[in-house]
Amino acid sequence: MAGQTTRMAPALSAAAVQNNVFSTIAGGAIGNLIEWYDWTIYGLLAGVFSGQFFPSDDETSALIKTLITFAVGFLMRPVGSIVLSPMGDTRGRRQMLALTIILMGIGSLIIALTPSYQSIGVAAPLLLLFARLLQGFSAGGEFQGSTVFLAEHAPMERRALVSSAQLISIGISVLVATGVAALTTTFIPKPALSDWGWRIPFLLGALFSLYGVYLRMRLPETPHFVRIEQRRELARHPILSALREHPLASLRVFATQMGTVQFYLWTVFLPTYANRAGNLPLDQGFKGSLISLVIFVIALPIFAAISDRIGRKPILLFTAGGFFVLAYPMFKLLENGDFTSFLLVDIVGCVLLAGVDGVMAAVFSELFPTKVRTSGIGLPYAICSAIFGGTAPLIAAAFIDAKHASWTAFYVMAISLISGIVFAFMPETRGKPLD
């Protein structure tokens, strides 16, 4: 079928080809949105259902155990990457993406249907742990799979803009998950909410995943993968080939992904930081985060389009330099405890994040040849996410508890400095053919 689509393409009108590309990109992005909704809803509702799986007289203790289970999902990402990434390079991007969303949906369904600790005892937290391990395994293949899929369908002159749909869908998924969580907690009375109401968003996630599978199985395979498949140029061991033949590219993926520290601090932990360090009410922090997330989603394609004109390196250096210079004053402003300061810091940070995230998918795809592209991106990305992503809020919380909240700024500055040095010596990739 993929080969037929390739042969028929020249006979299509320019408008038909453009519409086909658009529908393919939209389908890939929507599938990614559904995948990340399933991942996000757990973190948002952890405080509601923690007592169902970890009964304790201390609510904080139950919540911490639930969040530790959430963090375990990050540890499975490298495992998922090692297993799933080669599938994308040997069996095709589309099959890999269909599998990741199936696994994520199964994880959500298990969480939704698992009885409470009071009903089945220790089996309840064990099933929850299994579900999170499964979702972490799935996430280990999702990012690079959808990144490569979008980049390989994009026209070269608009590769960053088209590829930014991947990160845009993640931003929208956080907004959708936040909205579903808000509706659930608002309209379901509190006793029922902690008993069964919290299960509804997870059931929705499982249903969304079925729709995502339907979308992804209807999408065409990327023309770049079809070409190397027809020429019988598929790599036998793509992960080993990527590490052996492209070590600098792997390092650049790792260094770029170190910005996951800023991502999780600004999109997840910032309201808590402002509450702990400056006594800002949490509800005000969440309102500010919603506003900033909207700006983040809007800024992503803007930076991507700019990079399609001037290059990737200026945007990457702007982001690294911005965080290095502004991290300390921004975190000091959060200690004021007023909404205006928080909103300013949140917006500035999200705009800087949009710079690196807007070009990330294009840069990663341009660093590797087609036959090892999924594997080359996946392993360093997943390892970096496991090391820096899941630990960023915990490290910031530890600094606050140690009465050294400002050390969080120094941590961000160190990450930005390392990334900036790598960006400075990285070759420009804009306009590079993917084959």
Side-chain angles (χ1 to χ4, degrees):
M1 180 63 74
Q4 294 174 354
T5 303
T6 304
R7 289 194 296 271
M8 290 175 62
L12 297 174
S13 67
V17 172
Q18 186 172 1
N19 288 336
N20 184 54
V21 171
F22 176 80
S23 62
T24 299
I25 293 167
I30 290 173
N32 191 58
L33 185 154
I34 295 168
E35 171 95 359
W36 284 96
Y37 166 89
D38 288 344
W39 178 267
T40 304
I41 200 69
Y42 183 101
L44 292 173
L45 293 179
V48 176
F49 66 80
S50 57
Q52 292 285 309
F53 297 98
F54 301 99
S56 173
D57 295 333
D58 183 1
E59 292 184 2
T60 302
S61 175
L63 175 60
I64 289 174
K65 291 176 183 176
T66 308
L67 289 176
I68 289 174
T69 307
F70 175 73
V72 166
F74 284 89
L75 299 179
M76 282 299 291
R77 285 191 179 188
V79 179
S81 179
I82 291 172
V83 175
L84 296 173
S85 296
M87 178 181 178
D89 286 324
T90 58
R91 302 286 298 276
R93 321 317 193 191
R94 187 183 65 168
Q95 288 191 32
M96 173 189 173
L97 289 174
L99 178 60
T100 60
I101 203 167
I102 289 172
L103 295 176
M104 187 67 77
I106 292 174
S108 286
L109 186 64
I110 292 173
I111 295 172
L113 299 182
T114 297
S116 66
Y117 185 93
Q118 288 80 359
S119 300
I120 60 173
V122 72
L126 289 178
L127 282 171
L128 179 67
L129 177 62
F130 172 76
R132 287 302 301 156
L133 292 174
L134 188 63
Q135 289 186 321
F137 181 87
S138 167
E142 173 61 28
F143 177 85
Q144 64 271 28
S146 55
T147 290
V148 169
F149 184 85
L150 289 171
E152 291 183 349
H153 273 293
M156 184 174 65
E157 68 276 7
R158 290 182 291 170
R159 188 179 294 145
L161 178 60
V162 170
S163 302
S164 68
Q166 202 263 15
L167 271 299
I168 292 171
S169 67
I170 293 178
I172 294 176
S173 73
V174 175
L175 289 171
V176 171
T178 302
V180 170
L183 289 173
T184 303
T185 55
T186 299
F187 291 103
I188 298 179
K190 201 162 189 180
L193 176 66
S194 59
D195 186 22
W196 57 265
W198 62 268
R199 299 178 185 272
I200 295 175
F202 289 98
L203 286 173
L204 288 175
L207 292 175
F208 290 159
S209 296
L210 287 177
Y211 180 60
V213 174
Y214 168 77
L215 286 175
R216 285 184 164 175
M217 291 306 296
R218 291 168 57 88
L219 296 175
E221 186 53 83
T222 72
H224 295 276
F225 180 82
V226 170
R227 280 196 286 271
I228 66 166
E229 185 180 40
Q230 291 175 339
R231 295 198 298 256
R232 300 183 183 278
E233 295 176 355
L234 300 176
R236 294 184 61 185
H237 304 289
I239 288 183
L240 293 178
S241 297
L243 292 175
R244 182 175 61 249
E245 299 170 15
H246 308 280
L248 282 179
S250 299
L251 173 64
R252 288 160 185 156
V253 170
F254 189 94
T256 305
Q257 181 54 17
M258 287 176 71
T260 191
V261 168
Q262 292 94 301
F263 181 86
Y264 280 100
L265 286 178
W266 258 263
T267 64
V268 175
F269 192 70
L270 208 65
T272 302
Y273 183 97
N275 174 258
R276 296 288 183 87
N279 295 316
L280 179 75
L282 272 178
D283 62 327
Q284 293 187 27
F286 290 139
K287 290 175 184 176
S289 289
L290 285 174
I291 296 170
S292 301
L293 273 173
V294 171
I295 294 174
F296 171 73
V297 170
I298 294 171
L300 280 168
I302 295 174
F303 278 110
I306 293 172
S307 81
D308 280 329
R309 289 181 173 273
I310 70 172
R312 321 301 188 207
K313 280 186 67 172
I315 305 297
L316 293 172
L317 290 170
F318 162 77
T319 298
F323 273 118
F324 182 79
V325 172
L326 298 176
Y328 187 79
M330 285 196 292
F331 279 103
K332 290 301 289 185
L333 273 177
L334 292 178
E335 297 177 13
N336 293 344
D338 66 275
F339 179 75
T340 302
S341 297
F342 175 85
L343 185 61
L344 175 64
V345 170
D346 207 356
I347 289 174
V348 170
C350 282
V351 169
L352 290 173
L353 279 175
V356 65
D357 288 348
V359 305
M360 180 186 291
V363 170
F364 286 175
S365 297
E366 291 160 348
L367 288 172
F368 296 93
T370 301
K371 64 180 181 179
V372 297
R373 184 166 293 126
T374 306
S375 300
I377 296 171
L379 188 59
Y381 173 88
I383 292 174
C384 187
S385 295
I387 295 172
F388 293 102
T391 60
L394 293 175
I395 289 173
F399 287 154
I400 294 172
D401 289 341
K403 309 302 181 185
H404 295 294
S406 60
W407 287 9
T408 306
F410 299 137
Y411 182 48
V412 170
M413 292 170 67
I415 294 293
S416 302
L417 180 62
I418 295 170
S419 299
I421 292 172
V422 174
F423 296 155
F425 290 95
M426 187 173 74
E428 178 58 63
T429 59
R430 179 178 71 94
K432 181 181 178 181
L434 292 187
D435 283 335

